Amino acid sequence: MSDASLQEIAIIADRFEAEASSASGPGAAIAWDSASGSDIGRVRHINEDAFLDSQEQRLWVVADGMGGHSRGDYASSAVVEQLRAFPRQISVLANLQDMETRLQVAHEKCRTAFRKHRPGTTVAAMLAHGNYCFGLWAGDSRIYRLREGQLEQLTQDHSQAQEKYARGELTAQELTNHQSAHVLTRSVGAPKNLRLEMRYTPVHEGDRYLLCSDGLYNPVEPGDIRAT
């Protein structure tokens, strides 16, 4: 798995396009199936989660409205509605640029929709292209991959606790339950500027991917996620 900016993607795009367009290439044989769902849970009266499950576009999205900010449901819905209209193109670079633009539009809508509120949401989006998957995210919604029985978190939370862990101020055990684990450093809508992170990873036959909010991975142990 590699970190990648759009500029880096541009450099390697020709290789991706050759693999994706080759009828005999490994990407041509990959078939996708998916399922999705959401539950309001036991804490809030409004479900502030939104998701997109589009096998046709090979695009999957989870957005978790931020409960500490008014109208988190508006923010998560704005993200999904922008990406729902995503027109898949042949070029992986064009697809990623379009996704980034649409998320920027959702960000601006959240910033200007209400006078007194700045609704915010996390986003985790995954685009399958050829025999690669591209993850684009902000906040603490996650993308996991199950490969040969091993569950791996492909995204890194954008939180104050994660930054403290990176600086060596927290241990791995302290990271999960630290009070700043839910203080996000990136999101759609709430901060002035939208900062997205992107990674790509090769797809292997038999891989399974999970996009989810903290409403799943906080109460459910990684071993139970893997087993399920």
Side-chain angles (χ1 to χ4, degrees):
M1 183 175 59
S2 303
D3 276 319
S5 66
L6 285 177
Q7 290 75 19
E8 291 170 321
I9 291 293
I11 296 173
I12 59 177
D14 287 343
R15 174 163 58 89
F16 288 156
E17 304 311 329
E19 293 176 352
S21 61
S22 172
S24 59
I30 295 176
W32 290 85
D33 191 17
S34 60
S36 55
S38 180
D39 188 284
I40 193 171
R42 301 178 179 180
V43 177
R44 306 199 183 281
H45 300 293
I46 298 175
N47 191 344
E48 296 185 321
D49 293 348
F51 62 85
L52 175 63
D53 177 1
S54 179
Q55 293 183 52
E56 181 180 356
Q57 296 172 309
R58 294 189 177 182
L59 174 65
W60 298 271
V61 183
V62 165
D64 178 9
M66 296 163 62
H69 296 251
S70 181
R71 295 306 307 271
D73 59 324
Y74 174 90
S76 60
S77 296
V79 164
V80 168
E81 287 309 309
Q82 282 297 315
L83 292 176
R84 193 186 303 280
F86 165 76
R88 188 178 178 90
Q89 303 176 63
I90 295 176
S91 164
V92 62
L93 180 60
N95 284 327
L96 293 170
Q97 287 175 326
D98 186 62
M99 289 173 63
E100 187 175 51
T101 298
R102 289 176 181 277
L103 289 171
Q104 185 64 49
V105 170
H107 179 76
E108 294 302 325
K109 284 189 172 183
C110 292
R111 297 285 299 171
T112 58
F114 306 99
R115 286 187 177 182
K116 297 182 179 180
H117 305 302
R118 291 287 184 269
T121 181
T122 69
V123 62
M126 188 180 83
L127 174 74
H129 192 102
N131 57 335
Y132 288 85
C133 275
F134 297 84
L136 196 65
W137 78 98
D140 63 355
S141 288
R142 295 178 178 177
I143 303 175
Y144 290 90
R145 179 184 64 203
L146 181 66
R147 174 178 290 172
E148 298 180 351
Q150 298 298 314
L151 184 70
E152 181 181 358
Q153 182 181 329
L154 299 182
T155 55
Q156 186 177 81
D157 296 347
H158 296 136
S159 68
Q160 286 187 4
Q162 186 66 49
E163 291 184 352
K164 291 179 180 180
Y165 173 74
R167 294 193 298 264
E169 298 172 11
L170 296 176
T171 66
Q173 290 182 333
E174 292 172 331
L175 173 62
T176 302
N177 298 315
H178 195 267
Q179 60 184 2
S180 64
H182 300 294
V183 181
L184 300 185
T185 56
R186 302 191 196 186
S187 67
V188 177
K192 182 177 181 180
N193 297 314
L194 173 63
R195 293 187 299 144
L196 298 165
E197 189 167 355
M198 184 188 304
R199 290 184 178 178
Y200 68 91
T201 179
V203 176
H204 293 180
E205 185 177 355
D207 282 353
R208 294 185 177 185
Y209 295 85
L210 170 67
L211 282 71
C212 65
S213 71
D214 62 352
L216 188 149
Y217 67 74
N218 274 339
V220 183
E221 294 294 330
D224 292 331
I225 294 177
R226 178 184 57 78
T228 302

